[in-house]
């Protein structure tokens, strides 16, 4: 899998929200405008070079199947998507839910399984006089992602994790 940065994630997510494509007006009307033209253009070029975006004849951008497969494919287990997302940056459950386009209650269950396997860490963070649970990937979670990328999903994510804790 191609490593994604936070800006890459935000650009790809803009396309996902817009049914797979977006244009400069969509970027202008999004939070991405805070980055400035240079950083946006650099990121778009990088995503295009990595075959995660295509430039259409009408000037719009389309998200490739490879990009969709990374975080938004139904073929990928939710637990793997969560680990891939947390590999980019630590997030709270609301943000994870937003990026993965899944309900929070479904994700909480998966995150708890990952926590019990010691692949993800939850840290309370005080924001605006309330506590927010922030989730981050642990080194063991990064190793699990590497194994999945090396051996594929057929190697069965759950079995690999069970084996690791039983040995």
């Amino acid at each position: 899998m191609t490593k994604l940065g936070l800006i890459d994630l935000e650009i790809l997510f803009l396309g996902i929200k817009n049914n797979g494509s977006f244009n400069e007006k969509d970027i202008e009307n999004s939070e991405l405008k805070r980055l400035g033209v240079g950083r946006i253009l650099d990121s778009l070029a990088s995503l295009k070079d990595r075959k995660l975006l295509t430039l259409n004849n009408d000037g719009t951008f389309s998200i490739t199947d490879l990009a969709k497969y990374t975080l938004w494919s139904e073929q990928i287990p939710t637990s793997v998507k969560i680990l891939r997302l947390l590999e980019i940056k630590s997030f709270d459950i609301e943000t994870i839910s937003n990026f993965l386009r899944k309900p929070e209650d479904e994700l909480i269950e998966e995150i708890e399984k990952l926590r019990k396997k010691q692949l993800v860490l939850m840290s309370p963070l005080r924001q605006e006089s309330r506590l927010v649970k922030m989730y981050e990937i642990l080194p063991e979670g990064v190793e699990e992602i590497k194994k999945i990328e090396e051996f594929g999903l057929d190697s069965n994510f759950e079995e690999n994790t069970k084996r690791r804790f039983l040995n």
Side-chain angles (χ1 to χ4, degrees):
M1 180 190 102
T2 304
K3 297 290 180 214
L4 296 175
L6 184 57
I7 297 170
D8 299 333
L9 174 65
E10 290 177 6
I11 290 172
L12 293 175
F13 185 64
L14 178 64
I16 292 296
K17 287 191 308 190
N18 291 327
N19 295 320
S21 66
F22 61 95
N23 60 30
E24 64 185 67
K25 289 285 185 204
D26 296 321
I27 294 172
E28 189 178 312
N29 294 328
S30 75
E31 291 293 315
L32 288 166
K33 66 183 172 193
R34 76 187 187 288
L35 300 172
V37 174
R39 285 180 68 188
I40 291 171
L41 289 174
D42 287 347
S43 295
L44 291 170
S46 172
L47 288 168
K48 188 175 178 288
D49 289 347
R50 292 182 283 163
K51 302 193 181 342
L52 298 172
L53 270 185
T54 57
L55 177 60
N56 302 321
N57 292 335
D58 63 357
T60 62
F61 293 93
S62 292
I63 307 298
T64 64
D65 289 339
L66 177 61
K68 290 176 188 172
Y69 184 78
T70 304
L71 285 170
W72 297 283
S73 172
E74 290 303 316
Q75 298 171 330
I76 304 292
T78 302
S79 53
V80 174
K81 293 179 199 178
I82 292 168
L83 288 175
R84 285 179 175 171
L85 186 62
L86 294 177
E87 193 174 24
I88 297 168
K89 185 181 181 220
S90 299
F91 292 111
D92 63 12
I93 189 67
E94 184 180 333
T95 307
I96 294 169
S97 172
N98 184 38
F99 276 125
L100 296 182
R101 302 177 66 97
K102 296 214 175 260
E104 286 184 26
D105 55 335
E106 181 183 321
L107 294 173
I108 288 171
E109 185 178 315
E110 289 296 325
I111 289 174
E112 283 306 310
K113 289 179 188 175
L114 292 170
R115 275 181 27 134
K116 287 177 184 169
K117 295 173 188 169
Q118 299 177 347
L119 301 175
V120 168
L121 175 69
M122 186 281 293
S123 302
L125 180 67
R126 187 166 297 283
Q127 283 183 344
E128 301 170 11
S129 73
R130 67 182 183 113
L131 279 180
V132 176
K133 294 178 180 178
M134 293 296 288
Y135 297 93
E136 64 183 282
I137 192 168
L138 292 169
E140 293 83 358
V142 173
E143 286 302 313
E144 198 64 41
I145 289 290
K146 287 179 183 174
K147 286 180 195 172
I148 290 168
E149 289 170 2
E150 185 176 337
F151 301 112
L153 288 171
D154 294 338
S155 64
N156 194 333
F157 177 73
E158 294 291 327
E159 285 302 313
N160 282 343
T161 305
K162 284 179 191 171
R163 248 184 270 126
R164 191 179 72 196
F165 287 107
L166 292 175
N167 290 336

